[in-house]
Amino acid sequence: MLETSARLLRLLSLLQTPRDWTGAELADRLAVSTRTVRNDVERLRALGYPVHGTRGAVGGYRLGAGAALPPLLLDDEEAVAVAVGLRTAAGGSVAGIEETSLRALAKLEQVLPHRLRRRVTALHTHTVRVPHDQPGPTVDAETLSVLGAACRDRERLRFDYVRHDGTADRRDVEPYRLVNWGRRWYLVAFDPARDDWRTFRVDRISPRTPTGPRFAARDLPGDVVDRVRHGVSSAAWRHRATVRVHAPAEVVADRINPAVGTVEPVGDAACLLHTGADRLETIAVWLGLLDLDFTVENPPELAGLLRTLAARYLRAAG
């Protein structure tokens, strides 16, 4: 019985590899006959594992998805990765999964071998999480599920939306992608009423059910991450600035965080940096970190601040 149990675990481990296995290959790996393999497959099916099989010269076995979740087999590195991921999710930006993540983590740690439990505990105990400069918004896990399903099924999505200025709006869009940017989530969708693509903050979305009819898929407007990046770098700034940097666009793009601004090429040796912040002083710091020559196009207030800072630095240098 112990030999059979060990063989079943080994068979399950092989089937969890995303590929098709012929009966002969499994028999060779397990050092048994193909008849024993067939019997073991039936045992796994009786235990709730959906092992799919096809007959013929190219037939084989593959572990598929079933109606219920059977136990999983994880190797050492996979178990540690899942434990770390659950611990991270427990303190993440998605509301409603913190308690669930901790429950799943407790179940996993209970069955971890001692050597792996020590690794996970050491990582958790000796890791210090630096808080964000500003608390990020949280999104509802159920909302993410609704949006993801609508993207998958190509169903029109109706929702109430809170704009940046706090006013409410109602939208009816064709959803395409969810983008996770730091602690924020964004929905990229086509808005038929405006005949254009739009990006929405998920934490400001309140879906209305049921979803609408199916829609015909459109070609995405380039890289959806670039589209969100452009929106993230300009949506909530109090001060905006355009700066001509005397260096190629690719050089400038390599030196800034994408959330700081967007770079527009102007010839081979210059580019425009469209940036902003809640304070002009913050923009001045970013420009200094570029370590490149630049000219302020607008606003005039930024140029005045830079002159004040330049005089202060000269005085400090003696």
Side-chain angles (χ1 to χ4, degrees):
M1 181 62 70
L2 289 177
E3 181 181 353
T4 301
S5 299
R7 192 175 65 246
L8 285 177
L9 290 175
R10 174 60 178 158
L11 174 59
L12 181 58
S13 179
L14 292 172
L15 290 174
Q16 286 182 167
T17 305
R19 54 159 291 186
D20 289 327
W21 292 87
T22 66
E25 288 174 327
L26 293 173
D28 182 63
R29 290 293 191 99
L30 300 172
V32 296
S33 66
T34 55
R35 179 180 179 180
T36 300
V37 169
R38 289 195 297 270
N39 292 334
D40 286 348
V41 166
E42 291 303 322
R43 291 189 178 96
L44 288 178
R45 288 169 175 166
L47 292 172
Y49 293 95
V51 182
H52 303 314
T54 56
R55 297 182 180 276
V58 294
Y61 297 101
R62 174 187 288 268
L63 188 65
L69 179 66
L72 300 177
L73 283 181
L74 303 174
D75 63 27
D76 288 5
E77 299 305 320
E78 291 170 340
V80 172
V82 171
V84 172
L86 288 171
R87 180 73 68 180
T88 303
S93 60
V94 181
I97 67 169
E98 300 93 339
E99 182 181 349
T100 307
S101 299
L102 289 175
R103 289 204 312 268
L105 180 61
K107 292 178 180 179
L108 178 60
E109 290 183 339
Q110 184 178 7
V111 298
L112 282 178
H114 180 67
R115 67 182 187 282
L116 297 184
R117 190 181 302 117
R118 281 175 54 85
R119 287 174 58 182
V120 173
T121 302
L123 185 60
H124 172 64
T125 303
H126 298 284
T127 298
V128 178
R129 183 182 180 191
V130 178
H132 293 267
D133 294 336
Q134 296 178 343
T138 59
V139 300
D140 182 68
E142 180 62 25
T143 297
L144 282 177
S145 297
V146 171
L147 300 187
C151 292
R152 177 198 64 203
D153 299 334
R154 294 282 187 266
E155 293 180 343
R156 292 275 289 261
L157 188 67
R158 299 177 301 119
F159 57 86
D160 296 321
Y161 190 69
V162 179
R163 298 192 187 94
H164 178 66
D165 60 6
T167 59
D169 193 10
R170 184 171 297 178
R171 297 295 183 94
D172 187 337
V173 303
E174 301 172 359
Y176 279 84
R177 293 291 187 274
L178 285 168
V179 178
N180 180 212
W181 183 285
R183 290 177 59 84
R184 287 190 171 92
W185 290 78
Y186 297 87
L187 173 69
V188 177
F190 185 82
D191 190 334
R194 293 161 176 80
D195 194 29
D196 197 7
W197 293 87
R198 291 290 189 267
T199 301
F200 303 95
R201 283 257 303 264
V202 174
D203 58 290
R204 296 175 179 169
I205 291 177
S206 298
R208 288 177 166 265
T209 55
T211 53
R214 293 181 180 271
F215 58 87
R218 304 172 188 266
D219 293 332
L220 288 169
D223 190 333
V224 293
V225 175
D226 284 342
R227 184 174 187 86
V228 173
R229 179 186 293 122
H230 185 271
V232 168
S233 61
S234 62
W237 288 333
R238 180 181 177 187
H239 299 282
R240 291 177 172 81
T242 301
V243 179
R244 181 178 295 270
V245 184
H246 305 291
E250 58 270 18
V251 173
V252 178
D254 286 340
R255 299 193 182 190
I256 67 168
N257 185 304
V260 167
T262 57
V263 180
E264 176 187 349
V266 181
D268 296 332
C271 62
L272 291 178
L273 172 62
H274 303 282
T275 183
D278 288 337
R279 300 179 60 200
L280 288 174
E281 291 81 358
T282 302
I283 302 177
V285 170
W286 288 339
L287 293 175
L289 292 175
L290 283 177
D291 194 25
L292 296 168
D293 291 337
F294 61 87
T295 302
V296 175
E297 300 271 335
N298 62 73
E301 294 82 5
L302 176 59
L305 173 64
L306 292 176
R307 284 191 287 269
T308 300
L309 293 176
R312 183 174 300 154
Y313 289 152
L314 285 174
R315 292 194 299 269

